[in-house]
């Protein structure tokens, strides 16, 4: 069963953009209607809910995707695997849901309603089978099904969320869209599996490998969400959490393009690993690093240069502090891209998840330590500085662990020309941002002109990746 990597990348990229672009479409409206405090309340409660969502699936998403990729061409094996994991996930989700109900009981009254609404997200995991379609490399199905549901979510927000009092409706729209999106995928599953033989369902053999992948997942979730949880718990300020939420939202949209490659390449690398094709795996990884630098370095420099022009019109006057936060946060885009290549594309598909767990755990420890030092004094700014420091140290540990398999010098060498081009682009974007008023049209002009300057300088430096891309386009014509 041969899949088209390019088509899958486009579909995965579309899905990633879709899942974060939709909140961005609504963000200018929600920022003004709900305000920093309301957004902060949602950010804080959602960060806690994320821990339960991760515990509920117990590592089965990564494990299931990897195993389905291995059994792509074996109907019997992948069918049995699907039903085994579906039952296993039902049990773990039920346990997590009971624990979540207990959390609601002990939480302050201020947050109870938000936690109750978000419980739908945990129940929706029962129907979440995206791991299966990712393993089968059937990314178009995921995109099409979720597109319809998420567009309905946008419509709901603009029709019913009108004032600060509608925060609960806003959170409901997000959670309900996710729930319906998960359910919709079940309509296509019958084409890929056989009916279950309940007597042959096995759960025990999947526990250990799932738990092995669960530890890096829970460490990753803790790493990604502790900032919000600690920021809310230490400062007791919904507003500061609101500022942090909006800055991080822009960053995660910016790296969507990069992370998409990881989800597409991971099942392919798992398959190559099963075939013991080490040479091909390394070839894909070095190419992936090149693409990551090509995208993440200008994203970092570009966000620093354009933040002062984008934030005022996008978020509104109440979020002026987000300008500085976004500039401080921008360097994390490069580190997150590298982490994705080493962890998601290399460690996990090649059964080196213990390395992935170790690097994430180290990053989490550094993040918590820095948060405890910096959040009490600098609030949201301290949380962002902690994230950037821990992300780069995490990547350093991951590169050290992979040093025997990957040539670190060859990886870093691919970044030089991108850094030079992005530095020139940064100067241009800063000058334009200071000269032009913060409007949508001006921001588009700054981004387009800056991106053009980046491409031109890369061409002058004869960047291999860009030249290869242009040669491919010419051949296609």
């Amino acid at each position: 069963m041969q899949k088209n990597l390019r088509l899958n990348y486009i579909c995965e990229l579309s899905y990633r953009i879709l899942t974060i672009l939709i909140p961005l479409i609504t963000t200018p409206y929600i920022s003004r209607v709900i305000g920093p405090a309301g957004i902060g309340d949602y950010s804080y409660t959602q960060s806690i809910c994320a821990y339960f969502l991760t515990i509920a699936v117990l590592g089965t998403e990564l494990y299931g995707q990897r195993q389905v990729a291995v059994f792509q061409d074996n109907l019997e094996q992948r069918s049995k695997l699907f039903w085994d994991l579906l039952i296993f996930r039902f049990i773990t989700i039920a346990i997590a849901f009971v624990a979540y109900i207990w959390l609601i009981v002990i939480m302050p009254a201020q947050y109870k309603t938000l936690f109750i609404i978000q419980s739908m997200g945990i129940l929706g995991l029962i129907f979440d089978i995206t791991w299966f379609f990712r393993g089968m490399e059937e990314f178009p199905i995921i995109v099409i099904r979720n597109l319809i549901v998420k567009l309905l979510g946008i419509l709901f927000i603009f029709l019913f969320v009108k004032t600060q009092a509608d925060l609960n409706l806003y959170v409901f729209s997000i959670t309900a869209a996710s729930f319906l999106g998960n359910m919709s995928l079940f309509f296509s599953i019958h084409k890929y599996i056989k009916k279950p033989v309940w007597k042959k369902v096995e759960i025990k053999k999947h526990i250990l490998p799932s738990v092995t992948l669960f530890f890096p997942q829970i460490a990753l979730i803790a790493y990604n969400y502790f900032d919000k949880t600690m920021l809310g718990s230490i400062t007791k300020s919904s507003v500061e959490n609101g500022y942090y939420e909006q800055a991080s939202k822009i960053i995660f949209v910016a790296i969507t393009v990069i992370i998409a490659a990881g989800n597409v390449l991971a099942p392919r690398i798992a398959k190559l690993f099963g075939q013991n094709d080490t040479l091909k795996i390394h070839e894909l990884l070095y190419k992936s690093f090149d693409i990551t630098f090509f995208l993440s370095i200008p994203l970092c420099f570009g966000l620093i240069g354009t933040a002062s022009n984008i934030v005022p019109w996008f978020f509104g006057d109440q979020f002026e502090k987000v300008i500085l936060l976004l500039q401080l946060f921008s360097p994390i885009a490069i580190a997150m891209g590298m982490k994705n290549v080493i962890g998601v594309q290399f460690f996990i598909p090649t059964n080196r998840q213990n390395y992935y767990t170790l690097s994430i755990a180290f990053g989490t420890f550094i993040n918590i330590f820095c948060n405890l030092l910096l959040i009490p004094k600098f609030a949201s700014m301290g949380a962002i500085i902690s994230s950037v420091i821990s992300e780069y140290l995490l990547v350093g540990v991951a590169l050290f662990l992979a040093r025997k398999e990957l040539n670190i010098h060859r990886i870093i060498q691919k970044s030089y020309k991108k850094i030079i081009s992005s530095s020139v682009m940064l100067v241009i974007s800063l000058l334009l941002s200071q000269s032009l008023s913060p409007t949508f049209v001006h921001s588009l002009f700054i981004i387009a002109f800056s991106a053009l300057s980046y491409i031109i300088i890369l061409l002058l430096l004869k960047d291999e990746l860009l030249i290869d891309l242009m040669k491919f386009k010419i051949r296609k014509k």
Side-chain angles (χ1 to χ4, degrees):
M1 189 181 291
Q2 196 68 26
K3 306 295 181 182
N4 188 322
L5 268 182
R6 188 171 292 109
L7 173 62
N8 283 340
Y9 176 74
I10 292 171
C11 289
E12 174 64 14
L13 173 59
S14 301
Y15 175 70
R16 284 279 171 178
I17 290 176
L18 174 68
T19 56
I20 303 189
L21 185 60
I22 286 177
L24 277 187
I25 292 172
T26 59
T27 291
Y29 176 73
I30 291 299
S31 296
R32 290 162 174 81
V33 172
I34 302 298
I39 291 172
D41 284 342
Y42 168 62
S43 176
Y44 175 65
T45 55
Q46 195 266 337
S47 71
I48 296 173
C49 184
Y51 307 138
F52 286 87
L53 291 171
T54 306
I55 293 169
V57 295
L58 204 66
T60 54
E61 291 187 339
L62 285 174
Y63 170 68
Q65 176 179 315
R66 188 181 70 189
Q67 294 305 107
V68 171
V70 173
F71 298 131
Q72 272 186 14
D73 301 323
N74 191 320
L75 176 61
E76 292 290 337
Q77 290 283 1
R78 72 170 186 256
S79 297
K80 185 177 187 311
L81 176 69
F82 174 81
W83 292 112
D84 286 356
L85 290 183
L86 193 71
I87 300 300
F88 180 36
R89 283 166 63 93
F90 180 82
I91 295 170
T92 58
I93 290 167
I95 294 170
F97 187 74
V98 172
Y100 185 80
I101 295 299
W102 176 79
L103 172 74
I104 294 175
V105 173
I106 66 171
M107 270 291 164
Q110 174 188 355
Y111 301 117
K112 281 187 187 294
T113 303
L114 291 177
F115 278 118
I116 291 171
I117 294 170
Q118 290 176 86
S119 67
M120 191 190 309
I122 298 176
L123 293 176
L125 290 173
I126 296 172
F127 307 101
D128 183 11
I129 53 174
T130 52
W131 52 272
F132 180 86
F133 288 105
R134 290 188 189 282
M136 292 296 294
E137 300 183 65
E138 294 289 357
F139 293 90
I141 294 175
I142 300 172
V143 175
I144 294 170
R145 295 289 184 182
N146 283 279
L147 174 62
I148 299 170
V149 174
K150 290 185 181 297
L151 288 177
L152 290 174
I154 290 180
L155 184 62
F156 182 93
I157 288 172
F158 284 113
L159 286 177
F160 299 105
V161 180
K162 301 293 185 183
T163 68
Q164 289 185 355
D166 295 328
L167 172 62
N168 293 338
L169 282 176
Y170 169 62
V171 176
F172 172 79
S173 69
I174 296 172
T175 310
S178 175
F179 185 90
L180 293 174
N182 290 338
M183 287 191 66
S184 66
L185 289 173
F186 257 91
F187 292 104
S188 302
I189 192 64
H190 67 279
K191 300 175 184 177
Y192 299 89
I193 60 169
K194 299 175 69 174
K195 291 182 179 181
V197 180
W198 298 114
K199 292 182 180 180
K200 294 185 178 181
V201 169
E202 297 178 274
I203 294 176
K204 287 184 179 181
K205 70 177 185 179
H206 301 296
I207 295 176
L208 183 59
S210 294
V211 170
T212 303
L213 285 173
F214 166 72
F215 288 117
Q217 281 296 99
I218 194 65
L220 184 61
I221 289 296
Y223 177 72
N224 288 336
Y225 285 96
F226 263 11
D227 285 350
K228 298 176 183 180
T229 306
M230 294 180 73
L231 186 57
S233 300
I234 293 173
T235 66
K236 307 296 183 184
S237 171
S238 298
V239 174
E240 285 294 322
N241 238 324
Y243 293 149
Y244 182 91
E245 173 69 19
Q246 301 300 60
S248 63
K249 190 175 291 181
I250 294 290
I251 292 294
F252 287 115
V253 169
I255 64 166
T256 295
V257 178
I258 307 158
I259 293 177
N263 288 323
V264 170
L265 288 176
R268 178 60 56 89
I269 290 173
K271 191 172 184 179
L272 291 170
F273 181 72
Q275 298 168 350
N276 202 29
D277 194 345
T278 304
L279 189 64
K280 184 64 175 176
I281 290 174
H282 288 173
E283 180 186 331
L284 283 174
L285 287 171
Y286 288 126
K287 180 66 70 175
S288 186
F289 271 113
D290 205 6
I291 294 171
T292 295
F293 289 136
F294 177 76
L295 296 169
S296 65
I297 294 174
L299 280 174
C300 166
F301 284 64
L303 286 171
I304 293 172
T306 58
S308 61
N309 195 273
I310 293 175
V311 169
W313 66 261
F314 191 75
F315 291 116
D317 296 334
Q318 298 179 78
F319 291 88
E320 184 179 356
K321 186 177 179 179
V322 174
I323 296 173
L324 177 59
L325 296 183
L326 184 56
Q327 290 172 327
L328 290 171
F329 221 167
S330 296
I332 206 171
I334 302 170
M336 292 185 77
M338 294 180 69
K339 179 183 72 178
N340 183 259
V341 176
I342 303 169
V344 177
Q345 298 178 39
F346 181 53
F347 284 160
I348 291 177
T350 60
N351 288 333
R352 291 173 173 87
Q353 54 262 24
N354 56 324
Y355 286 173
Y356 186 55
T357 305
L358 181 60
S359 59
I360 294 293
F362 176 79
T364 304
F365 172 78
I366 296 296
N367 193 25
I368 293 172
F369 178 75
C370 291
N371 277 336
L372 291 172
L373 288 179
L374 298 176
I375 288 178
K377 188 172 183 179
F378 300 106
S380 54
M381 192 184 303
I384 282 174
I385 294 171
S386 298
S387 291
V388 175
I389 292 172
S390 59
E391 192 78 24
Y392 276 93
L393 290 176
L394 183 159
V395 169
V397 170
L399 285 172
F400 176 79
L401 294 172
R403 70 192 184 282
K404 293 181 180 179
E405 293 282 345
L406 302 175
N407 187 326
I408 310 301
H409 177 72
R410 183 178 173 185
I411 293 170
I412 302 301
Q413 197 173 33
K414 293 181 178 295
S415 68
Y416 296 151
K417 293 178 182 179
K418 281 84 171 176
I419 292 174
I420 294 171
S421 302
S422 297
S423 298
V424 177
M425 183 192 73
L426 172 60
V427 174
I428 293 171
S429 61
L430 283 172
L431 291 173
L432 289 174
S433 293
Q434 291 174 3
S435 304
L436 299 174
S437 58
T439 65
F440 174 71
V441 174
H442 286 166
S443 292
L444 280 182
F445 173 76
I446 295 169
I447 292 169
F449 193 83
S450 300
L452 181 62
S453 68
Y454 172 71
I455 297 298
I456 291 173
I457 297 166
L458 274 185
L459 285 173
L460 292 174
L461 294 173
K462 297 180 180 179
D463 181 76
E464 292 180 6
L465 176 64
L466 184 57
I467 291 172
D468 287 344
L469 287 172
M470 293 186 71
K471 285 180 179 178
F472 173 76
K473 289 293 183 183
I474 291 172
R475 287 199 300 271
K476 290 286 283 186
K477 290 181 179 179

